[in-house]
Amino acid sequence: MTDTQSSERPDPMLFLWKVERRFVDAEQTLNIIKGADLAVWPGQSVALIAPSGTGKSTLLQMAGLLERPDAGEVFIGGKPTVGLPDGARTAIRRHELGFIYQAHHLLPEFTALENVMLPQMIGGLESGEARQRSTELLRYLGLGERLTHRPAELSGGEQQRVAIARAVANRPRVLLADEPTGNLDPATSSYVFETLLSLVKVTGLAALIATHNLELASRMDRRVTIRDGVVVELN
């Protein structure tokens, strides 16, 4: 038990403990993250607000098991991951982590429904169940009439909602997002963001969302930043 946890709470779903990340070039060692701690509990949304160059992307990469920290540990669902072989880390990313990026990265030749079904079928789900789960998700996100539309036939906000559905289709425990509405106009961004936060609450995801938008950050449960390589809570 750490001072970031409470005896009245279950373990955090995502827990970065004393993580460090440094990069070495020919002239110097850059200590980007210097022993940072961060806990995110089920159903909780945490805004990561940090200027470029402070280690925001590096922290997200470590949380998503895309980079290994040089020290410390990353716990997913209470289980340590740093020492696991690459295959095991890939399996965790596939089944327990969901990712949303600023660009939706939808496959243009597939419909909205098929884009959400694909990662589930790759994960081993039978196509009928994948179709049912994808349909329910897209309807929840207000896209019930757009199931058979390809990305080019969807608006920017609709495309990003399909990307959100795809990210949570495998029922991950943790959702990581990097400027998920950064490419949208303010009104569309606000709407898409509200649907995302609603989904976090309904599904019990632990969500870490990087954003430069302070208004959107204010809607989340907690706000943190990175100062001098450590994570600091904001009021």
Side-chain angles (χ1 to χ4, degrees):
M1 183 70 65
T2 73
D3 56 7
T4 60
Q5 294 169 267
S6 165
S7 59
E8 298 178 356
R9 280 178 168 175
D11 288 339
M13 194 59 68
L14 170 66
F15 185 28
L16 280 65
W17 177 75
K18 306 297 182 189
V19 294
E20 299 179 12
R21 191 72 174 100
R22 63 188 71 94
F23 299 93
V24 181
D25 63 22
E27 299 180 355
Q28 62 181 332
T29 299
L30 299 176
N31 295 302
I32 304 299
I33 303 294
K34 309 171 185 175
D37 295 329
L38 177 62
V40 187
W41 280 268
Q44 186 178 69
S45 58
V46 177
L48 176 58
I49 312 163
S52 298
T54 57
K56 172 173 61 70
S57 295
T58 298
L59 194 76
L60 281 173
Q61 293 282 90
M62 289 190 291
L65 309 189
L66 296 168
E67 291 186 24
R68 294 182 193 263
D70 295 301
E73 185 58 84
V74 177
F75 295 89
I76 304 294
K79 298 179 180 179
T81 63
V82 170
L84 294 175
D86 289 342
R89 288 164 61 86
T90 298
I92 291 172
R93 284 198 302 272
R94 182 177 297 156
H95 297 289
E96 302 195 39
L97 303 178
F99 299 88
I100 306 172
Y101 300 99
Q102 185 169 338
H104 56 75
H105 297 302
L106 299 176
L107 298 174
E109 66 271 29
F110 294 105
T111 66
L113 182 62
E114 290 165 344
N115 265 281
V116 180
M117 289 175 61
L118 275 172
Q120 299 174 70
M121 296 173 66
I122 291 171
L125 199 65
E126 189 270 331
S127 62
E129 186 174 351
R131 179 178 297 275
Q132 179 179 349
R133 186 185 297 180
S134 301
T135 300
E136 290 173 356
L137 265 173
L138 290 167
R139 284 176 175 166
Y140 179 84
L141 293 170
L143 296 170
E145 302 301 317
R146 312 291 276 171
L147 300 180
T148 60
H149 290 67
R150 289 179 171 81
E153 302 171 301
L154 302 172
S155 69
E158 289 170 337
Q159 290 171 353
Q160 199 64 341
R161 278 183 281 160
V162 175
I164 291 170
R166 181 184 57 188
V168 303
N170 276 333
R171 297 178 179 170
R173 300 183 184 211
V174 176
L175 180 67
L176 302 169
D178 192 359
E179 299 289 348
T181 61
N183 283 338
L184 305 177
D185 65 80
T188 304
S189 173
S190 179
Y191 176 75
V192 171
F193 206 79
E194 280 303 313
T195 63
L196 174 58
L197 295 183
S198 172
L199 198 60
V200 168
K201 293 298 183 187
V202 167
T203 60
L205 281 164
L208 178 60
I209 303 172
T211 181
H212 286 104
N213 189 316
L214 298 182
E215 193 280 323
L216 296 182
S218 70
R219 305 184 196 181
M220 290 188 252
D221 298 315
R222 290 164 51 211
R223 286 149 294 282
V224 301
T225 191
I226 300 173
R227 290 180 188 157
D228 298 321
V230 298
V231 176
V232 178
E233 294 276 344
L234 298 172
N235 293 327

